[in-house]
């Protein structure tokens, strides 16, 4: 059975716009967390990790962006950078799919519509142009229209492992002939609404979370895109629901199942990327991985540098691994393990084989 290959990728992140900015921030271990401008962000926290200077209209132009929300802008910007590298036709393509992960689309847009409906003279006195952006698949749908992506269009929500679940979904689209190429990734915006939900939704004993944002997109196909070379193959993705609270065992089962499915051994692993979350699930994940792999294979978590990015966190982990692989010749032909856990009950592990140079 053929494995999907990643031909190229890009990211819009707290390090800046583009793949080069993300790779530089990751390999240099530069923190992008900093104080927030109180005039721009009316939030209950003082620090965050936002895309520096990001402005939708400056990035995408004035046409069609008047009511566009931040998560849609981040998605269109990132997908555009990927398509620039593969000569995407101006009139679009029927066989290119988009699989985008998100937590809930845009909480900010949803709350603004609810507020307008409750405070207006009539419940239906809301700005109609904002409604398409308030639904969960608003960003994926608008992005497909923007670039003429007429293949399958899907939105996936699976907590922090969303990026890996998207890889599985994309693989099925490719193997069943539903698409020739798939743009797969996830996006999350920083907003007042998301910050309020996170701040007031945590338990008193839990530490304050520093939120981050961004978007990471990978171009997958059964063959490398024309003019490009494969960066990595997606060998396996395994997920597991955690009903008994034993996060360490669930992560271990996912990793062992993924390795056994492709007949790889733990000592053949080049790098291991974990979610790096500070909650009980994240601590158990890290503890189990230290039992399975040598300590030097564990990659420092991206979350330490760009904050809690929720649904895009595992996509950023994959981008981090690919960035590190470009700087390390020893990675060629070897395996990278990416794991993630989410308090909602999901654990996941993915295996990538880094391509030969």
């Amino acid at each position: 059975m053929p494995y999907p290959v990643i031909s190229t990728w890009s990211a819009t992140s707290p390090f800046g716009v583009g793949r080069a900015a993300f790779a530089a921030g990751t390999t240099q271990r530069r923190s992008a967390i900093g104080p927030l401008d109180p005039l721009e962000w009316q939030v209950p926290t003082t620090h965050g990790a936002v895309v520096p200077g990001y402005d939708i209209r400056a990035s995408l132009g004035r046409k069609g962006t008047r009511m566009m929300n931040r998560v849609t802008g981040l998605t269109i910007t990132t997908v555009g950078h990927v398509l620039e590298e593969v000569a995407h036709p101006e009139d679009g393509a029927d066989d290119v799919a988009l699989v985008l992960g998100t937590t809930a689309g845009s909480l900010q847009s949803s709350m603004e519509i609810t507020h307008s409906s409750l405070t207006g003279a009539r419940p239906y006195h809301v700005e109609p142009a904002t409604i398409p952006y308030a639904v969960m698949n608003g960003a994926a749908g608008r992005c497909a229209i923007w670039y003429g992506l007429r293949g399958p269009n899907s939105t996936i929500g699976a907590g922090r492992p969303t990026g890996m679940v998207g890889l599985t979904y994309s693989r099925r689209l490719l193997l069943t002939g539903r698409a020739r190429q798939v743009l797969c990734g996830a996006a999350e915006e920083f907003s007042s609404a998301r910050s309020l939900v996170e701040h007031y939704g945590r338990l008193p004993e839990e530490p304050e979370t520093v939120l981050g944002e961004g978007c990471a997109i990978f171009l997958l196909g059964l063959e490398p895109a024309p003019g490009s070379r494969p960066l990595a193959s997606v060998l396996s993705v395994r997920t597991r629901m955690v009903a008994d609270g034993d996060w360490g065992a669930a992560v271990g089962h996912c990793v062992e199942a993924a390795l056994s499915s492709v007949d790889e051994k733990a000592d053949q692993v080049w790098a291991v990327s974990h979610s790096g979350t500070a909650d009980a699930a994240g601590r158990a994940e890290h503890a189990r991985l230290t039992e399975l792999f040598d300590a030097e294979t564990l990659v420092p978590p991206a979350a330490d540098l760009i904050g809690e990015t929720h649904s895009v966190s595992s996509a950023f982990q994959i981008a981090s691994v690919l960035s590190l692989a470009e700087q390390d010749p020893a990675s060629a032909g070897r395996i990278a393990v990416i794991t993630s856990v989410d308090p909602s009950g999901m654990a996941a592990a993915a295996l990538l084989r880094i391509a030969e140079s």
Side-chain angles (χ1 to χ4, degrees):
M1 183 180 296
Y3 298 119
V5 297
I6 299 174
S7 294
T8 186
W9 63 277
S10 189
T12 303
S13 72
F15 294 126
V17 177
R19 172 175 162 179
F22 186 88
T26 298
T27 54
Q28 296 167 9
R29 296 294 299 164
R30 174 170 52 83
S31 176
I33 297 171
L36 297 167
D37 182 353
L39 298 178
E40 182 177 5
W41 303 107
Q42 290 76 50
V43 297
T45 55
T46 58
H47 286 66
V50 299
V51 180
Y54 183 72
D55 180 84
I56 294 173
R57 306 193 86 176
S59 178
L60 301 176
R62 303 179 68 83
K63 184 179 180 181
T65 56
R66 184 174 66 88
M67 301 302 295
M68 184 178 291
N69 59 20
R70 194 170 176 89
V71 69
T72 304
L74 293 170
T75 302
I76 293 177
T77 298
T78 311
V79 169
H81 287 170
V82 172
L83 295 179
E84 283 176 1
E85 294 192 27
V86 293
H88 181 67
E90 289 187 5
D91 58 348
D94 296 333
D95 54 2
V96 178
L98 176 61
V99 176
L100 186 70
T102 179
T103 299
S106 172
L107 282 175
Q108 188 70 32
S109 296
S110 300
M111 287 193 176
E112 286 175 356
I113 287 180
T114 302
H115 179 267
S116 298
S117 181
L118 293 174
T119 59
R122 294 287 185 273
Y124 48 87
H125 285 180
V126 298
E127 170 57 58
T130 63
I131 294 176
Y133 296 111
V135 296
M136 188 173 175
N137 62 345
R142 190 71 183 91
C143 185
I145 294 169
W146 194 277
Y147 293 113
L149 308 174
R150 294 185 291 274
N153 186 279
S154 305
T155 298
I156 293 176
R160 291 177 188 136
T162 293
M164 288 187 276
V165 176
L167 291 180
T168 298
Y169 191 92
S170 301
R171 177 175 174 269
R172 287 200 292 268
L173 290 177
L174 292 168
L175 291 178
T176 56
R178 299 288 304 279
R180 178 179 54 85
Q181 293 177 322
V182 181
L183 292 153
C184 173
E188 199 77 71
E189 68 177 11
F190 188 95
S191 67
S192 299
R194 179 168 166 242
S195 183
L196 288 167
V197 168
E198 180 68 24
H199 179 76
Y200 292 107
R202 65 184 174 86
L203 298 174
E205 63 271 20
E206 294 178 343
E208 190 75 62
T209 301
V210 176
L211 293 181
E213 68 168 359
C215 177
I217 297 290
F218 309 92
L219 181 65
L220 280 84
L222 295 180
E223 300 290 338
S228 67
R229 68 172 184 84
L231 301 177
S233 300
V234 181
L235 301 184
S236 180
V237 179
R238 289 290 186 271
T239 61
R240 193 178 184 92
M241 294 305 298
V242 186
D244 58 1
D246 193 344
W247 295 95
V251 170
H253 285 308
C254 291
V255 171
E256 290 163 358
L259 288 170
S260 62
S261 69
V262 292
D263 200 25
E264 297 285 350
K265 307 300 181 187
D267 58 5
Q268 296 173 303
V269 171
W270 160 70
V272 180
S273 172
H274 60 102
S275 65
T277 57
D279 54 24
R283 293 193 297 273
E285 174 196 13
H286 181 261
R288 185 68 181 116
L289 293 175
T290 58
E291 295 171 355
L292 293 172
F293 301 102
D294 294 336
E296 60 267 24
T297 61
L298 264 63
V299 174
D304 289 353
L305 307 177
I306 57 176
E308 172 59 82
T309 51
H310 286 139
S311 67
V312 72
S313 61
S314 59
F316 277 148
Q317 288 177 246
I318 296 169
S320 296
V321 166
L322 295 177
S323 299
L324 294 171
E326 290 181 357
Q327 304 296 320
D328 185 1
S331 66
R334 299 182 66 190
I335 303 298
V337 178
I338 297 97
T339 66
S340 182
V341 291
D342 189 86
S344 63
M346 172 147 323
L351 297 188
L352 303 183
R353 176 179 285 126
I354 306 300
E356 302 279 355
S357 301

